[in-house]
Amino acid sequence: MEIADADIQKRLKKPYTLVFRAGRQELTTRIDIFSDVLRDRQRSMLGGMVEYAHRESGFLEIKRFWFVKYNKPVYYQPKEAHEIFRKAKNIIIPREQKPDFLKELKDFLSRLNTQEPRIVPTCQHCLRDERLTILTRRNAVKITEDQVTCTSCAQGDLSIELKTMGIHLSRAMMNQLERQVTKVKSIPRIVEMMTPGFDPTREPELTLIDTVVAKDGGDSRKISELPIPDKFKDQLASDGFQFLLPIQFQVIDAGLFKDVNMLIVSSTSSGKTLLGELAGVPKAMQGKKMIYMSPLVALTNEKYEQFRKRYKSLGLRVGIKVGMSRLDVGKEGKPIVDTDITKANIICATYEALDLIFRSGNTSDLGEIGTVVIDEIQNLADPERGPELDGLLTRMRLHYPKAQYLALSATVGSPQALAKELQMKLVNYEGRPIPLERHLVFARSDEEKKSMIRRLVTQEFRHVSSSGNKGQSIIFTYSRRRAHALSDWLREHHVSTSVYHGGLSYSRRRSTEHAFSKQRFSSIVTTAALGAGVDLAASQVIFETLAMGAEWLSTAEFEQMLGRAGRLGKHDRGKVYMIVQPERKYHSGQDKAEDEIAVELLNGIIEDVEPFADKETSAEQILATICSTGLVDLKAVARTYKRMLSMSVPPSEALKHLVRKHMVRVKDGGVHPTDLGRATSLSFLTPSKGLEVMKLTSTYDVTDIAIMLQPFENIYLSVKLQEEVNSAFRTHMPTRLFSGVFSELGDANRPKGGAGRLPQWVFEVFGKWTMTFFNCGCRDYPECDHGKISLGRWLVEKRKEGFNPSGLAQKLHDDFELWAYPGDLYSWLDSLIHSLKAVQRIANVAGKTDLHVQIEDQIASIERPLEQETKKE
């Protein structure tokens, strides 16, 4: 066949597919030539028209045939057209655009001996754009009740539909929804999900992003087969432990019973802590102690109670060290009292309490250590606690080089790198004990969010697992005030719920934990308090927001929180719901909207653990190491310092800083801590702060110094006052007293602003603030720190009068329209006592022994004010 047009001839030499579809006139078809490779959305190489006519015999024949090139027809003879048809590798007729004379057309092609035409569903949007997409189950998407298109065209339709609805999403979220379209196969259903009033409980498959499937361990090893004492096996069996979980036999195979140091990374509730017990308890039974350390008092106490109950039958003593003061607050709190650890076989301790033992040189209290379990090792990345944990591990390894170290975490980025830096063997198990569903839903307003949460919580509580447990939910929100408001709203709408956060009193938190464990609540509304703290078994986690305070959640925080959903032995699966408000920001400093953050969290990689300490903090840690180990030789000190992962300055620079701050003396190639250095290290103060405290003891009141070290800042405007201020100034003022709000409100008589709209009682409250807290009159007023000191003094005086944390909170509210949470007040009073002891140590070094008794009296009156009053009488 010779075709005059060379360009068309060239295209027809390659294998091609012919598409016939109905033309606009009777007995005509449009014709398109596509590549023989039937890709989705491939563009037509040639397009044209065929006019047909009937022979005298009645058969169909070609009357005219032409291709269109540069908008002009290029005509061909019927014989040339026949040859073009015969050479086609495939002939396709779109089901939606079948010619009326289909039977005759098929007969015509049959007489030409062409490939048998296939009638297939195709995307009409693509055909209009001269593209070809054959619809299959894989790529067909419903866009209306009657219309179906390909995935790509449907995604474009979705974008247009959302804009019509006034919904503007980030590119990242649109990409996420486009992936969802490929799964759901229906634009109306996706749009329904974005429509006000959508109920996520009715169509969970619509909101489901993915399911993290529980991996089959491939092994069913029994605990009874392990090389541990029989009495230990019997105790574990009585507690319900019979078979090893996947992570557990992987760690055992990696050398758990061969004293290998390991970094163990696995999801929450996957059985990591038991691995520490399997390694440590047999050694404890032989006289080598086991240390379990964690960042939180609550978590440490939880393990203490658990171990004490479990191992009493083995004759093992369990001790605890958390370093809390002995504040007597009646029923509001039960101080967790340190026990004598010298005779303990298992020691549970917080990082700081354990470090104090090393800094004070009392390591003989610990005895011989066989196993050290470091829980939540990802805290190495924390800007404040990371260097301290890093230094503590360095000191422990110096003292106990032969002990086995097991570092545990559920959220570590680049675990291989961290394991190498810690000189540990990595066991990284990415599966979960039970499946975890991750869902994404959208809300256009706070009211919609609340309604969705109510439905999700209620529906989950109706669900009963195969082990007989009701489904319970943990709801994360961005602030304590929001948590209370949401909890109140849910209770008003007949949902059994409670609020939980660190600002509540000890007794309130414990009663909530107990009621939740007994399934009296369907849900708990919380901030980050349950993210990496108390271990409550919930089957469902709901993110009411993706912010915590003024910051968006990090991927590590998100993973830690969602890990709370689902518990092996209690639930058959876990569920996570992210409720996202498009374009929502919770703080003016946030540069991204919530929908964009949602995609980053769903697809994000957990941040690397990269410890960092500045010069001041590096110097503090090297001082603690010198005090702890008794190292004198400069080279040995430098070598030890270099083992820290967080060090940022050379050893020489850190040592020079310590010398300048009078913390150490260097003489004859050796470095020796001064009395001030020892007191500073014991007090967990930086070198600069320790020297500053020494200078202040000459002129300042000791209580004021302690308050300056740890001012109370978690104090807020009451809800009533906040509403008045926001209304008057027509903006959202900060809720914290010391966040600049007083400087905005203090000059209430200025003509500009909204002060003129404030009622008289608000001015009276401001007057009380000025008289009591902001009365220094110094040059930097009111941005100076004198207001914080005055508030601290007021709190101490009221505490001495016998007010407990709840009473202090009520007094602040009644007198000043200010609000503080009892739990925060309790923590601050505890910290104040530690600060007073720090001042006492440094005052002793300064020779001000007269302050010693004064501080002792202060501490006693804060810890037990009523007893002190009785003594005076």
Side-chain angles (χ1 to χ4, degrees):
M1 176 185 65
E2 292 294 332
I3 297 178
D5 190 288
D7 178 54
I8 294 177
Q9 182 180 359
K10 183 179 179 181
R11 297 188 193 189
L12 292 173
K13 283 185 177 180
K14 297 178 181 178
Y16 54 86
T17 293
L18 275 178
V19 175
F20 288 91
R21 49 183 166 142
R24 293 183 178 179
Q25 297 178 357
E26 189 177 356
L27 292 180
T28 62
T29 60
R30 291 189 59 178
I31 187 168
D32 286 280
I33 292 182
F34 294 89
S35 165
D36 185 46
V37 181
L38 292 179
R39 303 184 306 273
D40 285 355
R41 305 203 66 188
Q42 64 166 302
R43 186 171 288 280
S44 168
M45 295 192 300
L46 287 169
M49 293 290 295
V50 185
E51 289 185 7
Y52 304 90
H54 287 104
R55 294 181 182 177
E56 293 180 1
S57 59
F59 290 116
L60 205 66
E61 64 178 10
I62 293 178
K63 181 179 178 182
R64 283 197 306 172
F65 169 65
W66 66 92
F67 285 119
V68 176
K69 185 179 179 186
Y70 306 127
N71 293 322
K72 293 182 179 180
V74 179
Y75 289 94
Y76 297 94
Q77 297 296 320
K79 288 186 178 180
E80 293 173 323
H82 295 168
E83 191 62 25
I84 291 172
F85 294 175
R86 289 192 188 100
K87 285 185 64 180
K89 287 292 221 178
N90 297 285
I91 295 179
I92 290 174
I93 299 174
R95 181 180 296 166
E96 302 80 5
Q97 294 192 30
K98 295 181 292 187
D100 293 338
F101 53 99
L102 176 62
K103 183 177 180 182
E104 294 171 284
L105 177 61
K106 291 173 72 174
D107 178 67
F108 165 69
L109 294 173
S110 175
R111 286 186 283 106
L112 290 180
N113 291 320
T114 66
Q115 292 289 331
E116 184 176 352
R118 289 188 294 148
I119 301 174
V120 297
T122 58
C123 175
Q124 297 305 291
H125 288 190
C126 285
L127 282 177
R128 281 198 297 271
D129 293 336
E130 297 184 353
R131 297 179 184 273
L132 174 64
T133 302
I134 297 174
L135 297 179
T136 64
R137 288 185 179 181
R138 177 183 61 83
N139 68 356
V141 177
K142 182 183 288 189
I143 60 170
T144 66
E145 285 300 318
D146 304 318
Q147 277 190 298
V148 177
T149 70
C150 69
T151 303
S152 298
C153 292
Q155 290 168 347
D157 282 359
L158 175 63
S159 179
I160 295 169
E161 189 72 32
L162 293 180
K163 287 179 181 177
T164 303
M165 296 170 66
I167 299 174
H168 302 282
L169 299 175
S170 64
R171 182 65 257 174
M173 180 53 78
M174 280 306 306
N175 290 340
Q176 180 68 49
L177 283 182
E178 286 168 2
R179 289 193 291 271
Q180 197 74 346
V181 166
T182 65
K183 292 168 54 179
V184 176
K185 309 293 186 188
S186 171
I187 295 297
R189 294 187 69 206
I190 295 289
V191 170
E192 178 191 354
M193 183 174 68
M194 311 291 288
T195 304
F198 171 71
D199 184 354
T201 64
R202 292 185 177 275
E203 296 189 82
E205 72 283 356
L206 184 58
T207 61
L208 180 65
I209 297 296
D210 56 27
T211 301
V212 183
V213 181
K215 290 187 177 179
D216 182 6
D219 200 327
S220 58
R221 252 181 279 180
K222 295 181 179 179
I223 287 180
S224 60
E225 299 171 356
L226 297 178
I228 57 177
D230 289 340
K231 286 180 66 177
F232 186 22
K233 293 177 184 177
D234 293 342
Q235 180 58 50
L236 291 176
S238 67
D239 286 344
F241 297 105
Q242 295 183 348
F243 295 95
L244 293 171
L245 297 174
I247 179 63
Q248 292 167 346
F249 59 70
Q250 284 188 21
V251 170
I252 289 169
D253 289 346
L256 182 72
F257 294 124
K258 297 178 182 178
D259 284 345
V260 175
N261 296 331
M262 291 191 224
L263 170 61
I264 303 168
V265 180
S266 183
S267 64
T268 303
S269 74
S270 60
K272 296 188 296 293
T273 306
L274 183 61
L275 287 164
E277 297 169 64
L278 289 173
V281 170
K283 294 174 194 167
M285 294 172 72
Q286 296 174 354
K288 293 183 179 181
K289 295 186 179 184
M290 167 184 162
I291 293 179
Y292 168 86
M293 49 191 283
S294 87
L296 301 174
V297 171
L299 187 56
T300 303
N301 188 51
E302 187 178 276
K303 295 302 179 186
Y304 167 68
E305 296 291 350
Q306 185 184 99
F307 293 164
R308 191 172 64 160
K309 181 180 178 181
R310 181 175 294 168
Y311 298 122
K312 185 178 180 180
S313 63
L314 301 183
L316 297 178
R317 294 183 178 180
V318 182
I320 186 170
K321 212 74 171 168
V322 294
M324 291 187 69
S325 59
R326 296 170 182 260
L327 279 169
D328 182 3
V329 294
K331 295 180 180 180
E332 286 187 26
K334 177 184 176 185
I336 301 169
V337 180
D338 289 344
T339 63
D340 180 11
I341 61 171
T342 57
K343 297 179 181 179
N345 307 103
I346 300 173
I347 300 169
C348 298
T350 56
Y351 299 159
E352 292 83 359
L354 188 62
D355 200 6
L356 183 61
I357 295 172
F358 286 93
R359 292 178 185 228
S360 62
N362 294 329
T363 52
S364 58
D365 291 350
L366 295 175
E368 186 179 4
I369 303 299
T371 311
V372 178
V373 179
I374 311 113
D375 208 352
E376 310 292 351
I377 191 68
Q378 75 276 1
N379 275 279
L380 280 170
D382 186 273
E384 293 183 8
R385 308 187 79 173
E388 182 185 306
L389 175 57
D390 187 20
L392 172 59
L393 290 176
T394 302
R395 293 186 274 282
M396 291 187 75
R397 285 180 149 179
L398 268 175
H399 282 282
Y400 306 107
K402 295 183 179 179
Q404 182 181 17
Y405 293 84
L406 302 174
L408 314 180
S409 180
T411 51
V412 169
S414 299
Q416 297 87 350
L418 181 60
K420 185 177 180 180
E421 290 179 328
L422 291 171
Q423 297 180 335
M424 293 179 170
K425 187 172 184 178
L426 173 66
V427 179
N428 185 17
Y429 180 72
E430 296 181 353
R432 281 184 53 85
I434 60 173
L436 177 70
E437 297 177 6
R438 302 197 305 172
H439 294 259
L440 176 66
V441 294
F442 296 87
R444 306 284 287 276
S445 65
D446 279 348
E447 288 305 312
E448 269 192 65
K449 277 189 176 184
K450 293 174 185 175
S451 179
M452 285 180 174
I453 290 169
R454 179 180 60 80
R455 290 170 177 167
L456 288 168
V457 168
T458 303
Q459 176 75 9
E460 186 67 9
F461 202 49
R462 293 192 188 114
H463 177 81
V464 179
S465 70
S466 58
S467 58
N469 289 278
K470 293 180 181 178
Q472 292 171 285
S473 303
I474 294 175
I475 305 162
F476 287 111
T477 189
Y478 61 89
S479 72
R480 294 171 175 181
R481 183 171 286 190
R482 173 68 173 173
H484 282 275
L486 181 55
S487 180
D488 291 344
W489 186 92
L490 288 170
R491 282 197 299 273
E492 287 170 7
H493 289 76
H494 313 295
V495 177
S496 57
T497 190
S498 183
V499 72
Y500 188 101
H501 56 74
L504 300 177
S505 67
Y506 172 85
S507 57
R508 173 88 179 270
R509 292 199 306 271
R510 289 309 299 264
S511 64
T512 300
E513 292 164 17
H514 179 74
F516 191 81
S517 66
K518 296 296 183 182
Q519 302 208 311
R520 292 171 191 158
F521 293 135
S522 62
S523 60
I524 280 182
V525 187
T526 184
T527 55
L530 282 177
V534 179
D535 193 14
L536 292 181
S539 58
Q540 179 171 262
V541 164
I542 300 172
F543 288 90
E544 191 262 348
T545 172
L546 301 179
M548 278 295 152
E551 303 295 331
W552 294 118
L553 289 174
S554 68
T555 305
E557 290 168 334
F558 176 67
E559 292 292 331
Q560 186 86 23
M561 291 168 164
L562 68 81
R564 296 290 174 195
R567 175 70 57 80
L568 184 67
K570 289 182 177 290
H571 309 120
D572 304 317
R573 51 93 184 108
K575 296 173 82 172
V576 174
Y577 276 88
M578 300 170 70
I579 303 179
V580 172
Q581 197 167 342
E583 300 185 272
R584 179 70 187 270
K585 296 180 181 180
Y586 296 88
H587 189 269
S588 59
Q590 292 173 331
D591 59 342
K592 297 179 180 179
E594 191 167 47
D595 60 292
E596 189 172 359
I597 295 298
V599 179
E600 290 181 5
L601 294 177
L602 285 169
N603 303 293
I605 298 173
I606 296 174
E607 300 82 359
D608 290 353
V609 174
E610 296 178 339
F612 174 80
D614 58 20
K615 181 169 71 174
E616 188 78 38
T617 309
S618 295
E620 178 195 351
Q621 291 305 318
I622 199 171
L623 175 63
T625 299
I626 292 168
C627 295
S628 165
T629 61
L631 283 177
V632 174
D633 182 70
L634 274 171
K635 291 182 179 179
V637 169
R639 282 196 301 271
T640 304
Y641 170 74
K642 286 180 179 179
R643 293 177 189 173
M644 288 182 56
L645 309 184
S646 58
M647 70 161 196
S648 60
V649 297
S652 57
E653 191 173 335
L655 285 167
K656 286 177 183 176
H657 185 69
L658 290 174
V659 171
R660 284 194 294 268
K661 299 298 180 181
H662 308 289
M663 298 290 133
V664 298
R665 291 188 301 271
V666 177
K667 184 179 179 181
D668 300 328
V671 58
H672 307 271
T674 63
D675 290 340
L676 176 59
R678 290 188 183 280
T680 299
S681 180
L682 271 175
S683 303
F684 289 82
L685 298 176
T686 64
S688 295
K689 188 63 71 175
L691 183 59
E692 181 186 352
V693 170
M694 174 171 256
K695 293 176 180 177
L696 290 174
T697 55
S698 300
T699 54
Y700 270 71
D701 177 83
V702 290
T703 305
D704 287 357
I705 299 172
I707 292 169
M708 290 165 65
L709 288 174
Q710 194 70 46
F712 184 68
E713 297 183 297
N714 289 338
I715 184 164
Y716 310 87
L717 275 63
S718 70
V719 174
K720 178 183 175 183
L721 179 57
Q722 185 75 40
E723 289 175 351
E724 289 286 358
V725 169
N726 287 344
S727 174
F729 287 86
R730 295 176 182 174
T731 185
H732 288 284
M733 285 281 191
T735 58
R736 285 177 183 256
L737 177 64
F738 296 115
S739 60
V741 65
F742 187 72
S743 61
E744 292 288 328
L745 302 176
D747 186 8
N749 294 317
R750 55 190 175 178
K752 61 181 180 178
R757 292 187 289 270
L758 289 169
Q760 182 60 33
W761 71 265
V762 174
F763 290 109
E764 292 172 0
V765 166
F766 294 164
K768 289 181 181 179
W769 291 4
T770 302
M771 293 291 293
T772 312
F773 307 130
F774 300 100
N775 56 3
C776 63
C778 74
R779 183 176 60 184
D780 297 325
Y781 168 88
E783 281 80 17
C784 59
D785 288 333
H786 295 121
K788 296 177 183 178
I789 296 172
S790 297
L791 171 65
R793 278 202 216 109
W794 185 89
L795 290 171
V796 170
E797 290 305 314
K798 295 304 173 187
R799 171 61 183 166
K800 288 179 180 179
E801 293 175 16
F803 282 87
N804 283 340
S806 292
L808 287 173
Q810 192 61 51
K811 185 72 173 168
L812 279 166
H813 186 270
D814 293 345
D815 289 2
F816 304 108
E817 283 295 333
L818 295 172
W819 178 250
Y821 290 102
D824 289 339
L825 287 163
Y826 182 93
S827 298
W828 179 75
L829 289 170
D830 178 68
S831 297
L832 182 66
I833 290 169
H834 288 290
S835 295
L836 282 167
K837 289 178 179 177
V839 176
Q840 186 183 51
R841 293 187 194 102
I842 293 175
N844 288 341
V845 172
K848 296 179 174 59
T849 53
D850 56 316
L851 297 179
H852 186 93
V853 175
Q854 180 184 336
I855 293 174
E856 285 294 327
D857 289 343
Q858 284 278 51
I859 291 174
S861 62
I862 292 171
E863 285 188 334
R864 288 174 171 74
L866 297 181
E867 286 184 14
Q868 293 304 110
E869 287 298 314
T870 303
K871 287 180 182 178
K872 289 177 183 178
E873 294 173 4

